[in-house]
Amino acid sequence: MSRFMFRAGRTRSRSFAPPTVGLLLLAMVVTLSFSGSALSAQATINLGNVDSFGALSFTAMINAGANTVVNGNIGSPTSIGAGVTHPGFAAYGPGTPELAAAQAALLTAYGAAEAATPNQPTITGVNLAGKTLLPGVYNSTSGILISGPIALTLDGNGDSSSVFIFQAASSGDLTVDPTSSVTYTNGAQPCNAFWKVNSAFLKNTDHTFIGTIMALTQITLTENITVEGRVLARNADVTFIHDTINKPTCSTTSPSPPPPPPPVGTTPTPRTATAAPNPTIRPRATKKPPASTTAPTAPPKATPPKVTPPPTPKPPKHHVGLTG
């Protein structure tokens, strides 16, 4: 990282970018480098011929108490207990090609989950109960623990193809304590959640677990647990006590995004409905006003102006002189 920062500094000085812009660009690159899922979507695990199975074991498949219902194919090379039912699905025993193909596919899928590159913070020593996790690959250098009444939530971030992969160490076990559960939201799907562990012990009676468990050794469930996923054991038994396994299928429908809000500081203009003209209604014709029957009044006669004649001049008076 120090080498990367040094090179970024040299590039900035040559291009004469303002210091503020250079720091912002560097922060964006560093942020993306630490959130691997932001760069590219995590590929799902291809289950191949084991995809149709709800439960698979390498040795025995056992049930205690009332019947367990597996809504998916089941298989075991030794024995399958009578209490493990599979209504509408098949059971494959020793020597069947379907069982051999499923075991080979499980080996490949287990290796793919193990080889996935972690791109999320480590979950080593973390109790996942009450956490909300985004898609990605989560690794623990020990086991994986879910312990507490608040569910672990897998948040698909609005993407129906989001993938969650949980990796325990080669000797790390998955432990789900009483009252614990796993749920999902926002586009996440049980078909795309995978748990690669050494062994699994689900003790969360009357609660739900999400995802496909791929265990190197045994998988054990206590009473009345619902698994929305699969229980697949590579090298040992699968043990039930009156549980339900629902093999998931993926939906390709993503939730519709909400419409974008109007720009800040603006008020949406309400639409005014305009009624269409009714073609059956004709406008009334405008009537012309009737002609007037009164004769027009003649204009008054003009009176000529009165002319005053000029005054008649009087003859001059003669004065008689007196002689003395």
Side-chain angles (χ1 to χ4, degrees):
M1 181 59 71
S2 60
R3 184 182 301 174
F4 173 78
M5 294 177 66
F6 174 74
R7 290 180 178 178
R10 292 178 58 189
T11 303
R12 185 175 67 244
S13 63
R14 291 179 180 179
S15 60
F16 301 103
T20 303
V21 175
L23 290 175
L24 288 175
L25 291 175
L26 180 60
M28 291 173 63
V29 172
V30 172
T31 300
L32 290 176
S33 66
F34 279 100
S35 57
S37 58
L39 298 177
S40 60
Q42 173 63 44
T44 190
I45 301 298
N46 182 7
L47 294 176
N49 289 320
V50 78
D51 180 78
S52 63
F53 282 72
L56 180 68
S57 70
F58 184 80
T59 52
M61 188 174 295
I62 307 165
N63 181 73
N67 287 347
T68 284
V69 177
V70 180
N71 292 306
N73 294 335
I74 62 176
S76 169
T78 59
S79 63
I80 298 176
V84 183
T85 64
H86 48 92
F89 294 91
Y92 298 105
T96 56
E98 293 84 357
L99 176 62
Q103 288 178 320
L106 174 56
L107 182 63
T108 301
Y110 184 96
E114 187 174 41
T117 302
N119 56 15
Q120 295 290 355
T122 180
I123 56 173
T124 302
V126 177
N127 177 10
L128 298 182
K131 305 294 184 183
T132 297
L133 301 182
L134 293 175
V137 181
Y138 295 83
N139 179 266
S140 171
T141 57
S142 55
I144 299 176
L145 174 65
I146 305 174
S147 180
I150 303 178
L152 162 63
T153 300
L154 307 181
D155 186 340
N157 201 27
D159 183 4
S160 63
S161 64
S162 57
V163 176
F164 301 79
I165 299 175
F166 297 89
Q167 305 167 327
S170 57
S171 59
D173 302 324
L174 168 64
T175 302
V176 183
D177 282 340
T179 73
S180 304
S181 61
V182 183
T183 187
Y184 58 97
T185 187
N186 202 13
Q189 300 190 74
C191 63
N192 282 329
F194 303 92
W195 304 80
K196 194 282 305 179
V197 297
N198 176 60
S199 70
F201 191 8
L202 276 58
K203 300 178 282 186
N204 55 329
T205 297
D206 299 327
H207 289 78
T208 301
F209 183 85
I210 302 298
T212 293
I213 301 173
M214 299 182 289
L216 182 64
T217 59
Q218 73 271 11
I219 300 175
T220 303
L221 286 72
T222 55
E223 188 173 7
N224 199 32
I225 296 173
T226 298
V227 175
E228 299 290 341
R230 304 172 182 84
V231 287
L232 311 174
R234 277 185 52 188
N235 299 323
D237 297 344
V238 174
T239 302
F240 299 111
I241 307 178
H242 180 44
D243 302 301
T244 302
I245 310 297
N246 296 318
K247 179 190 73 66
T249 55
C250 278
S251 170
T252 58
T253 303
S254 297
S256 300
V264 178
T266 62
T267 303
T269 303
R271 296 182 178 180
T272 303
T274 303
N278 190 338
T280 62
I281 301 177
R282 297 181 179 179
R284 295 181 178 178
T286 304
K287 295 182 179 180
K288 295 182 178 180
S292 175
T293 56
T294 304
T297 304
K301 296 180 179 181
T303 303
K306 188 175 182 180
V307 178
T308 304
T312 303
K314 295 180 179 182
K317 293 181 179 182
H318 297 278
H319 297 276
V320 178
L322 295 179
T323 56

